[in-house]
Amino acid sequence: MRGSMEHEASGFESSEMLAAYLASTPLLEESWRMCFKANTAAQQSFAVNRVGTVTYVAFSGVQTVDCSEESCRSLVDMETGADGIFGAFCCGRREEEEEDQRPIMIHGGILQLFLFFYRSSTFQRQMHQIMNESKSVVVAGHSLGGSMATMTALWLLSLIQSTCATLKVLCITYGSPMLGNEAFSQALRRERWDGNFCHIVAPYDVVPRMLFAPATPLMGEFLALFQFWQTSMADPSFAQFASQIHYEIKGRVFDTILSYTKERARGDEVRTTSFCPSGSYMFCTDKGVICLDNRAAIVTLLYLTFANGSADSFVMDHLNYGDYIGKVCWQYLQKKSLTDAGSSKSSSEAGIALALQASGIYSQEPMYGTAKDCLAIARHSGCKRSLNNAKMAVSLAKFTPLRAQIEWYKTYCDESDDQMGYYDAFKRRTASKRGSKVNINRLRLGQFWDDLINMLETNQLTHDFHNTPKYVNASQFYKLLVEPLEIAEYYRTLMHKKKGHYIEHGRPKRFKVFDKWWRSRKVGDEESNPRSRFASLTQDSCFWAQVEEARDSIYLIAGHMDPGKHSVLLEKVEKFEQYTRGMIERKEVSVDVLAKNSSYSLFLEEWRELKSQLQLLPPRFPASQDNMVQDIILEGDDTYL
């Protein structure tokens, strides 16, 4: 990003917009103020402050990580180590690559420290109060506190994903160490959460780079440095004693970290157990900032900016974030251009030149060419994502006629004399040109959306692509229109006999992704207005899969299954009938649901017949089960029979 931090368009894309947003709002200054407050408070604490509808949570950088065990100094499997508290983030692997998927791993000591907070009643109470009372939360932390902020933000995002909460989460860290391996970084990008994490890095701060090096050879030196840093955070006046740290300690740490960072920047093979940057990185100097979300570019800048430092500079740089933040915000408000790239350069070259000068790298230096190439690649990838967005819009328009043909088919089925409706007409179709055409359209539309999701997950589209109303609405309409056909084909081909029922064992990934998009949208008042007529499309796209499961349960109850399992299935069917009754009353179903020969009408007939049979049968249930069965029979409502 430019040193002057202007609002001009750039190929640095989402990361530049994030930097401009942070610098033009009180977020940076307020989050750092809260970090400073937390640092000077009690050890292993966090501070909370509410400003309007935004809540700031800052973790103290004065934390204790037990490094006596090897597992606490290295990466551990996140799914097993965290006892599943991060939900689908750990297990939401790309289905088509599941066999080749590397485990998501994070720093063992940092994970244990977060679990210490997570198991605290104070932490749980504060977090749930924030979720219930705030619209947005900014989670921040300095040094090890930044690691706690990252873990907390990740946990909140995972929790929001599994509920209907609408809380917006932003994490800002200052001089925080890396947290996980490349699989962790990819999972963050897969969930489209990169933009929720911004890591502020000073040019000579060793902490964001320290985990490129193995811990064991420098364990003693790191412990001494962290003891000095944490004492200085708790009491800023102690920082004056930085010069008393032995030069040999500082020199050994600086040379070792520089060497290993250089190896990673050179492109050496990244192992499963290697730490990797994740999220967006904002490199701050006293001349400006540059913000990146490209991992290769981040690693290169971590090396190139650090290479300009020295054994004396890195110790205090970990404590100087307050100065950097003050200058960044002042530069933005003043809109002062700190450099002049020259009129002979193209706008792209000028932008890169200004960005490099903002990070303290000048054209006279030997490393300038490497840094320039690095940013050019990052800029190109940003431009390419924007171009892919435009191409995808064209593709969506080309596939619209296929969707229109399926809409016409639905209208034809709903008005047909056979009174089966859309779902059952497709499920029970015979060899016909009309049915074959619709099936081909179903497959082609599915491939289009699968390709789109793949591009999104591999970072080939812009970071906020999935929030664009056009695609949120198009994907929801596609889901409501086409998923009934997917369900019909699943049961038509008897896949439920081979794999199990559709919702748990056969639902394509794309529909689960679209569920997330739809839950995350901004809901307007018009969506809460009652309907005056039945919906054009049933508002639960898995409605017919639930009908199939309910009919299967009735078949099992009527058979000679273990009587002990009857009550569970009876309760399940009863709840489904109540659920559908509510949908019909609210007119959230399409007319095909109420068709005379639809699967839903057959379900109601079978359910009524089963309840009649149960009334005639002698008691064979335990008392509690028998009472429940009688309640179901007595509460039966034939309104929709």
Side-chain angles (χ1 to χ4, degrees):
M1 185 177 175
R2 297 186 177 187
S4 58
M5 302 184 69
E6 297 178 34
H7 271 302
E8 297 176 14
S10 165
F12 295 123
E13 199 241 323
S14 61
S15 51
E16 179 173 7
M17 291 187 291
L18 176 62
Y21 171 69
L22 291 175
S24 62
T25 65
L27 289 173
L28 282 179
E29 290 181 311
E30 181 63 20
S31 62
W32 174 253
R33 186 187 70 80
M34 290 296 296
C35 287
F36 185 84
K37 178 181 178 180
N39 285 345
T40 54
Q43 179 179 344
Q44 290 190 303
S45 63
F46 61 95
V48 179
N49 183 42
R50 186 169 179 176
V51 181
T53 59
V54 179
T55 298
Y56 290 85
V57 180
F59 286 85
S60 170
V62 185
Q63 305 283 349
T64 301
V65 177
D66 182 8
C67 294
S68 59
E69 298 291 334
E70 176 63 28
S71 62
C72 289
R73 300 197 299 268
S74 57
L75 289 159
V76 298
D77 188 289
M78 187 175 184
E79 187 172 4
T80 56
D83 296 326
I85 65 173
F86 294 98
F89 176 78
C90 295
C91 57
R93 314 282 175 84
R94 294 186 62 191
E95 297 173 3
E96 65 271 18
E97 297 179 3
E98 189 168 354
E99 294 181 359
D100 190 42
Q101 189 74 29
R102 289 172 291 180
I104 298 173
M105 305 182 77
I106 56 174
H107 190 285
I110 290 173
L111 174 60
Q112 292 305 313
L113 182 58
F114 171 73
L115 291 176
F116 166 80
F117 281 99
Y118 176 80
R119 291 163 181 158
S120 160
S121 58
T122 301
F123 176 88
Q124 290 289 337
R125 184 174 62 255
Q126 290 272 23
M127 292 303 116
H128 283 90
Q129 183 177 353
I130 289 169
M131 291 189 68
N132 292 331
E133 300 178 2
S134 301
K135 291 185 177 180
S136 304
V137 60
V138 179
V139 193
H142 176 211
S143 191
L144 292 178
S147 300
M148 293 303 97
T150 303
M151 295 293 289
T152 300
L154 184 59
W155 171 68
L156 284 172
L157 288 167
S158 301
L159 189 61
I160 291 167
Q161 185 183 70
S162 62
T163 63
C164 296
T166 57
L167 182 72
K168 304 300 181 184
V169 180
L170 176 64
C171 176
I172 305 174
T173 72
Y174 300 90
S176 175
M178 289 177 289
L179 189 60
N181 63 348
E182 187 177 20
F184 174 85
S185 179
Q186 290 172 342
L188 207 65
R189 179 156 290 175
R190 180 192 69 223
E191 297 294 342
R192 312 306 295 167
W193 292 344
D194 268 9
N196 295 82
F197 296 85
C198 183
H199 305 292
I200 315 296
V201 177
Y204 314 129
D205 185 2
V206 72
V207 176
R209 303 159 170 93
M210 61 184 288
L211 292 178
F212 283 137
T216 306
L218 296 173
M219 183 57 64
E221 289 85 344
F222 281 147
L223 290 175
L225 286 168
F226 269 99
Q227 184 176 7
F228 166 75
W229 284 326
Q230 296 196 351
T231 305
S232 300
M233 291 175 202
D235 181 5
S237 64
F238 193 80
Q240 63 183 308
F241 299 108
S243 60
Q244 297 183 17
I245 299 176
H246 201 284
Y247 186 80
E248 286 188 9
I249 293 178
K250 295 187 289 187
R252 193 155 50 244
V253 170
F254 180 81
D255 291 341
T256 302
I257 299 302
L258 180 63
S259 174
Y260 279 99
T261 306
K262 182 179 181 179
E263 286 183 14
R264 285 295 297 275
R266 205 166 52 197
D268 289 3
E269 182 180 359
V270 180
R271 300 186 302 275
T272 300
T273 54
S274 298
F275 285 90
C276 181
S278 58
S280 298
Y281 272 60
M282 183 187 287
F283 293 86
C284 291
T285 71
D286 55 2
K287 299 176 179 62
V289 302
I290 177 172
C291 196
L292 298 168
D293 62 3
N294 179 286
R295 285 199 300 269
I298 290 170
V299 173
T300 300
L301 261 292
L302 284 170
Y303 163 65
L304 294 176
T305 51
F306 192 62
N308 281 334
S310 66
D312 287 321
S313 61
F314 84 83
V315 176
M316 284 305 298
D317 228 31
H318 188 59
L319 303 173
N320 285 342
Y321 283 92
D323 294 338
Y324 288 123
I325 295 308
K327 291 176 181 177
V328 165
C329 295
W330 180 84
Q331 288 164 7
Y332 186 87
L333 291 175
Q334 294 294 316
K335 294 186 180 295
K336 179 181 179 182
S337 179
L338 300 177
T339 56
D340 182 6
S343 58
S344 62
K345 296 182 178 180
S346 69
S347 59
S348 177
E349 291 176 334
I352 292 175
L354 287 168
L356 290 174
Q357 290 176 32
S359 62
I361 301 174
Y362 295 91
S363 58
Q364 308 94 300
E365 299 178 23
M367 65 184 66
Y368 182 83
T370 302
K372 180 180 177 182
D373 292 342
C374 160
L375 292 194
I377 293 172
R379 175 171 286 252
H380 174 71
S381 65
C383 294
K384 188 175 181 180
R385 288 196 287 266
S386 298
L387 181 61
N388 286 340
N389 275 23
K391 290 180 178 179
M392 195 54 66
V394 174
S395 297
L396 179 62
K398 289 181 178 178
F399 279 91
T400 299
L402 304 186
R403 191 185 72 183
Q405 290 172 18
I406 296 179
E407 289 182 74
W408 175 84
Y409 176 77
K410 181 181 186 306
T411 301
Y412 170 82
C413 294
D414 291 345
E415 296 176 354
S416 177
D417 293 337
D418 59 24
Q419 299 186 55
M420 288 192 296
Y422 177 51
Y423 172 78
D424 284 277
F426 188 75
K427 179 185 174 184
R428 300 185 229 171
R429 72 186 186 276
T430 57
S432 68
K433 185 176 180 180
R434 181 183 295 112
S436 298
K437 181 67 174 178
V438 168
N439 193 42
I440 291 172
N441 288 354
R442 173 185 70 86
L443 295 171
R444 290 182 64 188
L445 285 169
Q447 188 61 56
F448 165 77
W449 287 106
D450 285 343
D451 291 343
L452 183 148
I453 292 170
N454 178 64
M455 291 182 69
L456 195 61
E457 291 181 343
T458 53
N459 205 34
Q460 297 180 59
L461 299 170
T462 54
H463 81 291
D464 59 347
F465 180 89
H466 63 300
N467 291 327
T468 308
K470 175 169 67 174
Y471 291 100
V472 173
N473 294 331
S475 63
Q476 176 69 1
F477 188 86
Y478 159 77
K479 183 182 73 172
L480 297 181
L481 177 68
V482 178
E483 187 161 20
L485 302 184
E486 298 281 353
I487 298 167
E489 188 68 12
Y490 190 82
Y491 285 93
R492 168 187 167 88
T493 55
L494 303 181
M495 291 301 297
H496 62 294
K497 300 289 186 182
K498 303 173 185 176
K499 298 173 62 177
H501 282 294
Y502 173 86
I503 294 177
E504 185 176 353
H505 301 286
R507 195 180 189 211
K509 174 185 172 181
R510 73 182 87 97
F511 297 120
K512 300 173 186 177
V513 172
F514 298 155
D515 285 343
K516 294 180 187 178
W517 293 5
W518 190 247
R519 284 197 302 266
S520 301
R521 78 197 186 284
K522 184 177 180 180
V523 180
D525 294 335
E526 69 281 355
E527 294 192 33
S528 60
N529 295 333
R531 295 177 181 273
S532 59
R533 59 183 180 180
F534 286 113
S536 59
L537 296 168
T538 299
Q539 297 302 290
D540 182 350
S541 63
C542 287
F543 177 87
W544 293 107
Q546 296 174 74
V547 170
E548 297 285 2
E549 286 196 47
R551 293 186 68 192
D552 191 50
S553 296
I554 291 174
Y555 173 78
L556 291 173
I557 295 169
H560 300 285
M561 64 174 295
D562 180 4
K565 297 179 181 179
H566 278 68
S567 60
V568 176
L569 292 177
L570 282 167
E571 184 176 8
K572 180 179 177 181
V573 177
E574 172 66 13
K575 286 182 177 179
F576 173 66
E577 186 196 19
Q578 292 174 355
Y579 169 69
T580 59
R581 190 183 306 163
M583 287 190 69
I584 294 171
E585 289 174 351
R586 295 187 300 272
K587 300 187 183 300
E588 294 174 353
V589 299
S590 172
V591 292
D592 65 320
V593 170
L594 304 176
K596 181 180 178 181
N597 297 317
S598 73
S599 290
Y600 179 69
S601 295
L602 293 176
F603 155 72
L604 291 177
E605 287 183 20
E606 293 163 354
W607 180 227
R608 180 174 55 184
E609 183 179 348
L610 177 65
K611 288 188 288 187
S612 299
Q613 291 175 358
L614 291 174
Q615 285 181 310
L616 300 175
L617 291 175
R620 56 170 178 163
F621 301 102
S624 60
Q625 295 179 15
D626 189 58
N627 291 338
M628 191 206 72
V629 172
Q630 291 302 316
D631 288 342
I632 291 174
I633 294 170
L634 292 173
E635 291 176 5
D637 188 344
D638 292 347
T639 303
Y640 303 106
L641 301 183

